[in-house]
Amino acid sequence: MIPARPAAAPPLLQLRSVRIGFDLPEGQLIAVRDVSFSVPHGGVVALVGESGSGKTVVSQSIMGLLPRRARILGGEILFADPDTPGTVVDIARLPAEGRQIRRLRGRRISIIFQEPMTSLSTLHTVGNQVREAVEVHRLATGRLAEELAHDMLHRTGFPDPARAYRAYPFELSGGLRQRAMIAMALVCRPALLIADEPTTALDVTVQARILKLLRDLRSELGMTMLMITHDLGVVATVADEAVVMFRGEIMESGAIDDIYRRPGHPYLKALMAAVPRFNMGRDERLVPLREIGPAGGRLLAPRDEDPATGPPAGDPDPVLLRVDRVCMSYAARRGGRLTALDDVSFDVRRGECLGIVGESGCGKTTLARIIMRALQPDSGVVRYAADRESPGPVEALARFRREVQFVFQDPFGSLNPRMTVFDIVSEPLVIHGIGDHASRRAMVSELMQAVGLDIRHLTRYPHSFSGGQRQRIAIARALALRPRLLVCDEPVSALDVSIQAQILNLLRDLRGALDLTYIFISHNLAVVDYIADRIAVLCAGRLVELAPRDVLFARPVHPYTRALLSAVPEPDPDRPLDFNALADPRQSIPSEWPMPFRSDDRHHPGLVDVGDGHLVRAAHAP
Amino acid sequence: MLAFLVRRVLIMVPTLIAISIITFVIIQLPPGDYLSSYIAELESQGESVDPARIAALRAQYGLDLSATEQYLVWVGGLLQGDLGFSFEYQQPVTEVVGDRLFLTVVLNAATILFIWVVAFPIGIYSATHQYSWGDYGLTLLGFIGLATPNFLLALVLLYLGNVWFGTSIGGMMDPAYIHQPWSTDKALSVLEHLWVPVVVIGTSGTAGMIRRLRANMLDELHKPYVVTARAKGLGPMRRLVKYPLRTALNPFVADIGNLLPQVVSGSAIVSMVLSLPTTGPMLIAALQSQDMYLAGSFLIFLALLTVIGMFLSDLALAWLDPRIRLGAGTGR
């Protein structure tokens, strides 16, 4: 027996003309057509595409995990297991619940999913779920299985594997949950790991650490990886080769360098042009796959012509909204208080776009709610410029509600499915008793044109629109009262890259055309960089740095801001993530920051101006 | 966990006190008392009643006391295990109820067991074979079970039981054993008679549970964590039992508290049709004749069952579901 592989060893995984169809009541839908690619031993191949491109269906077919209504109509999925040289299995032909495919699943091919919370069972401990994979394949039982699980939890970076073993998934943070998921997938030492959007639900700094972990484990365990993602930055960081899919077909495939430097297919070129990158020129525009041309009209014209609500001529206060020393805390479950916001102060100037960046749990949503006056802060105030002109608090609030509007993150949850688009967009006018039916109709038509939607669709219901269209409806609704200030809470994070570019351009154009001011909240630095004039960085409820956009990116001062900036994978193979720089998870813990930035019981640094309107939270100028 | 237990037990005390007050008020609500309805009955038969004797009886039974005092006397007795005195039967309530309470518990425990044993496999089958012929057939049967009135089913089964098995109609044991001390033969006779009321009382509960289990399972079957289990290589059966079934159990465990009193009170009409020696018919009679202490004992018994059922289901939930045990939200 000669274990050496023959010269022309087959690749670990090879797909040949795979076609997958869904049996739907209205007929068969071909979700994947003629997909062929191969994953070499030890390589990392990225399968890239937007939602609906069929990339997840392909990954499911490799695991034999297709939904019941989906069927493989043709082609071969050849898996050459390195443990049994010379044999090649065609997974496409194995019965979905058969013994053969079950022997591969979890043992030779493993998968990790996007959402570790729902992908792990809440009712079982992490240890139980990790060792189960070992026991199911009869690789070990009892003490040995437990030891294997401990070992893998250790390798996936749990500081205390024994404790993690006994923990339930809901007791872990998002990043640790994904590590538990990875431990579960790798505990049997599979030859191939499929990672289906493994970092999409995570914060950038956590994402960077998980990507590093995957890279380290890959070389340590000698496995091959198929990475499924929509994020071109992640692809450039981890993959050797990329396969680009669009509507069930492969558009382009090749080595990363070729793909990024010489994109051939128009779709790939368009995709590249739609991703916001750092250091784009001030006037450089993203190019969405389909540009929408917003058209402002008479009714939406800037308010200067409107004496009733216009600012008093000659004395425009440059500050539209002032957040002054706002603190907010919630009662924690096990006694004590959880600080959501700690002494947050900033101004929003008339006509600017202020970006607020932070990771999950940093308090940005609480801040948005306080600005919207949906929550009362424990201390501190939010002053709106026009408050002084109102005779009383009731009138001030009514005016505030007209002039400040909100755009939500989730365009699916924020539109009432039982209302037509017309009802949705005109509802603010009805609530505030503005105009009669005819004038409302005219206003709604103009709003629809402003966001590039067809006015013939006014009688439809939200379910017949795509995510991007829904977000445009939500924006139209927010504009109905001709607000001055728009608070956008992660308005593009639920959208595909190309749609994201469309919405970002729309928001940019509307701001110029309608003389709006934005507060733009996002976790995505590149997006904020594209749209904002000034950027505020939040961490653990504290405003750590506030600077004009160019200054912040060119000269970040605060250690957290630096960590944040270094953790964003860029869609450019020449600028890979510096994994060594971001291994430290203490960068987001205020009491671990170096002096003069440290913030704990004894140190309460305030904001220090380091020039050019660049504010940093530090005890003194660093 | 200990704090949870203690808190949970302490909550039961004020609940039971409140229930006893409400029970007592309800019993007192109809105008008059046992004696006035007794007098009315005697007078309707043309007999005269000596007012002095009535007054004496009133004093003897404590009916001349104020409502608050009567309540305190009653509750004081309950705490010492003295359920009071039944006017109608002229015996202490404990003796009147006698075996009935025990038989009621046996009947209802058997019914709950029947519901679970039948409903679980069917519900799981229906969910895993959604829209198959088997699912449709079982669903149809379930709907028939839901829609058939209990007493009709009781009559049909009694007839069939008599014709096919020669079991005597009605009752929970052969007439020969009534008022006899317990023996093996008597217990066997009870078992022989038990199945008719169990099927009758349990049918609608079973049908309802099948529907709920099917719906719960369908919700869980396609959750991502089940896909994960599949991706690990688990076989269909093991996967099903360990993950979705486990999650789908929660609503049922939470339901035990409701199930107990529902089954107990639901069996009253059936018990009358089948002339079962359970508590249901006696409760109705006691309420009609204003036999205060007897009715009160029954109502308190029902309330106690509910409270204990809720307690047990909370315990089981805490045991089953770490999220409840560890007091965590479902945070993302």
Side-chain angles (χ1 to χ4, degrees):
Chain A
M1 210 51 211
I2 304 157
R5 229 172 269 136
L12 183 71
L13 181 76
Q14 189 172 25
L15 275 75
R16 283 193 195 148
S17 318
V18 172
R19 272 167 71 81
I20 299 169
F22 279 78
D23 296 322
L24 298 178
E26 53 279 12
Q28 196 173 53
L29 176 98
I30 305 294
V32 170
R33 55 187 95 220
D34 278 335
V35 163
S36 308
F37 65 91
S38 57
V39 183
H41 279 280
V44 180
V45 175
L47 198 54
V48 192
E50 298 186 284
S51 52
S53 62
K55 59 188 192 303
T56 296
V57 178
V58 169
S59 75
Q60 288 168 337
S61 71
I62 298 169
M63 291 287 286
L65 289 178
L66 284 173
R68 205 183 290 179
R69 284 182 307 185
R71 271 190 301 136
I72 298 180
L73 302 171
E76 296 172 312
I77 302 171
L78 302 174
F79 179 64
D81 193 338
D83 273 9
T84 51
T87 55
V88 175
V89 191
D90 183 2
I91 294 172
R93 273 179 231 301
L94 296 180
E97 285 297 344
R99 195 169 294 272
Q100 271 177 295
I101 184 87
R102 278 199 342 243
R103 284 181 58 80
L104 291 179
R105 266 189 217 145
R107 184 162 161 234
R108 305 307 303 151
I109 310 178
S110 278
I111 188 164
I112 51 182
F113 297 104
Q114 174 175 352
E115 191 39 87
M117 185 66 217
T118 54
S119 302
L120 290 166
S121 165
T122 1
L123 301 181
H124 300 90
T125 57
V126 168
N128 179 320
Q129 296 182 64
V130 173
R131 68 180 287 172
E132 182 182 34
V134 184
E135 288 170 333
V136 149
H137 296 291
R138 301 218 170 81
L139 300 179
T141 51
R143 289 287 317 161
L144 190 56
E146 193 177 331
E147 269 166 37
L148 283 174
H150 275 281
D151 173 58
M152 197 40 85
L153 285 170
H154 177 70
R155 281 170 191 263
T156 46
F158 279 93
D160 185 353
R163 207 169 125 204
Y165 186 89
R166 290 190 306 269
Y168 288 93
F170 58 83
E171 296 177 287
L172 304 176
S173 68
L176 286 183
R177 273 179 217 148
Q178 193 60 292
R179 283 170 195 264
M181 186 83 203
I182 293 171
M184 195 171 85
L186 298 186
V187 71
C188 293
R189 310 290 171 99
L192 174 65
L193 176 71
I194 303 176
D196 187 356
E197 303 266 13
T199 56
T200 307
L202 305 174
D203 283 324
V204 268
T205 51
V206 181
Q207 160 173 297
R209 273 178 241 133
I210 294 285
L211 291 177
K212 176 177 188 307
L213 173 71
L214 284 175
R215 196 197 60 170
D216 294 349
L217 286 173
R218 194 173 67 77
S219 48
E220 203 177 310
L221 307 177
M223 62 183 183
T224 310
M225 214 158 91
L226 176 63
M227 181 106 168
I228 288 146
T229 182
H230 70 280
D231 188 330
L232 290 170
V234 170
V235 176
T237 304
V238 295
D240 317 326
E241 288 175 39
V243 178
V244 183
M245 285 187 74
F246 180 62
R247 296 203 178 151
E249 286 178 87
I250 290 181
M251 296 290 116
E252 192 160 352
S253 62
I256 289 294
D257 275 358
D258 292 341
I259 291 265
Y260 279 81
R261 280 182 237 286
R262 292 174 291 280
H265 196 278
Y267 171 73
L268 184 57
K269 284 182 184 161
L271 204 58
M272 298 273 192
V275 185
R277 278 150 295 140
F278 289 147
N279 313 316
M280 286 173 74
R282 192 71 291 204
D283 301 318
E284 200 180 332
R285 265 177 87 85
L286 295 175
V287 189
L289 262 63
R290 199 173 64 81
E291 182 82 76
I292 45 171
R298 189 177 51 82
L299 294 171
L300 282 169
R303 257 171 319 275
D304 299 22
E305 305 152 20
D306 187 342
T309 54
D315 173 34
D317 181 356
V319 175
L320 184 63
L321 184 101
R322 169 163 290 163
V323 175
D324 197 8
R325 309 190 74 88
V326 163
C327 295
M328 184 77 190
S329 63
Y330 295 107
R333 207 171 235 278
R334 294 176 196 266
R337 309 281 295 172
L338 203 74
T339 305
L341 291 175
D342 182 6
D343 189 24
V344 172
S345 306
F346 58 87
D347 292 342
V348 182
R349 296 178 195 147
R350 234 174 255 280
E352 78 166 340
C353 175
L354 177 74
I356 297 179
V357 189
E359 299 187 285
S360 54
C362 72
K364 52 190 194 298
T365 297
T366 303
L367 180 60
R369 290 196 183 144
I370 289 175
I371 290 174
M372 290 307 293
R373 302 190 178 171
L375 278 180
Q376 189 69 34
D378 294 344
S379 66
V381 282
V382 177
R383 279 198 205 85
Y384 181 59
D387 283 353
R388 279 166 290 156
E389 299 159 27
S390 302
V394 178
E395 292 84 355
L397 185 63
R399 179 162 177 186
F400 180 85
R401 290 267 175 262
R402 273 200 311 277
E403 296 189 356
V404 182
Q405 293 293 320
F406 199 80
V407 178
F408 293 89
Q409 170 175 11
D410 177 10
F412 292 82
S414 63
L415 302 179
N416 186 336
R418 288 174 188 79
M419 286 167 79
T420 62
V421 173
F422 176 80
D423 290 337
I424 288 169
V425 177
S426 65
E427 195 182 24
L429 300 170
V430 176
I431 289 172
H432 288 272
I434 294 169
D436 54 15
H437 190 75
S439 75
R440 283 175 198 158
R441 186 155 278 283
M443 184 68 176
V444 170
S445 315
E446 206 167 285
L447 286 166
M448 290 291 274
Q449 283 161 9
V451 297
L453 287 171
D454 195 330
I455 55 167
R456 286 171 301 176
H457 295 165
L458 278 175
T459 54
R460 290 199 190 170
Y461 289 88
H463 70 86
S464 56
F465 295 92
S466 68
Q469 287 171 324
R470 284 185 215 214
Q471 199 58 299
R472 276 142 69 188
I473 295 171
I475 291 171
R477 173 176 63 182
L479 295 176
L481 293 167
R482 304 172 60 208
R484 287 169 184 282
L485 175 64
L486 216 54
V487 180
C488 306
D489 187 2
E490 302 262 16
V492 292
S493 65
L495 305 174
D496 272 327
V497 177
S498 61
I499 307 298
Q500 166 180 304
Q502 202 182 51
I503 298 289
L504 288 176
N505 282 350
L506 174 70
L507 285 171
R508 246 190 172 187
D509 297 341
L510 286 171
R511 182 173 143 219
L514 305 181
D515 197 12
L516 291 166
T517 306
Y518 289 158
I519 296 177
F520 192 98
I521 299 170
S522 178
H523 70 282
N524 187 328
L525 275 169
V527 164
V528 174
D529 177 35
Y530 179 65
I531 197 156
D533 303 312
R534 291 193 304 150
I535 298 175
V537 182
L538 275 184
C539 176
R542 294 162 178 85
L543 182 74
V544 297
E545 192 156 4
L546 174 68
R549 159 200 181 243
D550 314 329
V551 178
L552 186 80
F553 283 92
R555 294 191 301 278
V557 174
H558 199 278
Y560 176 71
T561 313
R562 288 184 174 168
L564 202 60
L565 285 172
S566 69
V568 179
E570 288 201 64
D572 182 349
D574 292 336
R575 299 164 62 178
L577 273 188
D578 180 6
F579 281 122
N580 298 325
L582 50 86
D584 193 356
R586 291 175 304 163
Q587 283 148 335
S588 44
I589 303 169
S591 57
E592 301 280 342
W593 288 331
M595 294 305 290
F597 304 104
R598 185 169 304 158
S599 177
D600 53 24
D601 291 343
R602 288 181 300 121
H603 304 88
H604 300 280
L607 286 176
V608 178
D609 194 336
V610 293
D612 302 334
H614 186 166
L615 304 174
V616 183
R617 183 170 290 274
H620 52 81
Chain B
M1 189 66 190
L2 194 68
F4 171 80
L5 261 181
V6 171
R7 200 171 62 234
R8 195 58 194 72
V9 170
L10 285 182
I11 289 174
M12 285 167 70
V13 175
T15 315
L16 280 175
I17 293 176
I19 291 174
S20 70
I21 293 175
I22 294 169
T23 309
F24 191 76
V25 168
I26 289 173
I27 298 171
Q28 293 283 353
L29 269 186
D33 50 34
Y34 173 72
L35 283 177
S36 52
S37 54
Y38 179 62
I39 297 164
E41 200 187 315
L42 287 182
E43 279 174 347
S44 69
Q45 293 166 6
E47 291 178 34
S48 68
V49 192
D50 177 11
R53 188 177 137 66
I54 294 296
L57 279 174
R58 262 227 159 95
Q60 186 193 335
Y61 293 146
L63 293 178
D64 54 346
L65 301 173
S66 72
T68 326
E69 285 169 313
Q70 285 190 39
Y71 169 74
L72 290 177
V73 169
W74 177 58
V75 170
L78 283 184
L79 286 179
Q80 295 161 26
D82 174 13
L83 299 183
F85 190 79
S86 165
F87 308 133
E88 180 90 27
Y89 295 86
Q90 295 290 319
Q91 280 176 335
V93 167
T94 331
E95 279 178 32
V96 177
V97 175
D99 279 354
R100 281 180 183 247
L101 213 51
F102 173 70
L103 287 175
T104 307
V105 171
V106 167
L107 175 64
N108 291 313
T111 308
I112 291 172
L113 212 65
F114 168 79
I115 291 177
W116 285 18
V117 167
V118 177
F120 265 81
I122 296 182
I124 293 166
Y125 177 88
S126 267
T128 48
H129 297 75
Q130 195 191 7
Y131 302 141
S132 68
W133 281 109
D135 178 30
Y136 283 130
L138 291 167
T139 302
L140 181 72
L141 268 183
F143 280 136
I144 293 175
L146 267 180
T148 316
N150 277 349
F151 63 87
L152 184 69
L153 196 61
L155 293 175
V156 172
L157 283 181
L158 275 186
Y159 173 76
L160 293 180
N162 199 20
V163 171
W164 290 347
F165 302 111
T167 316
S168 68
I169 296 174
M172 264 185 81
M173 61 193 85
D174 200 84
Y177 296 109
I178 294 175
H179 298 304
Q180 298 297 314
W182 280 96
S183 62
T184 326
D185 288 344
K186 183 170 173 173
L188 284 177
S189 175
V190 168
L191 285 181
E192 193 186 352
H193 282 72
L194 199 59
W195 71 271
V196 175
V198 161
V199 170
V200 170
I201 301 169
T203 305
S204 66
T206 309
M209 182 158 277
I210 291 174
R211 301 304 300 164
R212 271 175 299 162
L213 185 57
R214 178 176 180 271
N216 284 346
M217 285 289 283
L218 284 177
D219 280 348
E220 296 299 327
L221 274 178
H222 302 288
K223 290 269 174 77
Y225 68 89
V226 184
V227 180
T228 307
R230 218 176 138 197
K232 264 194 249 176
L234 253 67
M237 200 58 202
R238 193 161 161 197
R239 190 168 75 218
L240 186 76
V241 172
K242 183 166 177 186
Y243 294 106
L245 184 61
R246 175 82 193 271
T247 316
L249 273 184
N250 270 11
F252 294 100
V253 176
D255 217 33
I256 295 176
N258 287 328
L259 208 63
L260 283 177
Q262 201 183 329
V263 170
V264 171
S265 59
S267 61
I269 295 174
V270 176
S271 297
M272 287 174 90
V273 172
L274 295 176
S275 64
L276 298 177
T278 56
T279 53
M282 198 175 241
L283 171 61
I284 292 173
L287 286 172
Q288 278 169 344
S289 65
Q290 298 200 13
D291 194 346
M292 184 170 107
Y293 294 120
L294 186 56
S297 304
F298 278 132
L299 292 179
I300 278 290
F301 170 63
L302 280 181
L304 195 66
L305 271 188
T306 315
V307 172
I308 290 177
M310 288 292 180
F311 175 64
L312 289 181
S313 67
D314 277 4
L315 278 192
L317 271 184
W319 177 66
L320 266 181
D321 192 336
R323 281 169 300 183
I324 297 170
R325 185 166 66 238
L326 300 173
T330 43
R332 284 184 292 163

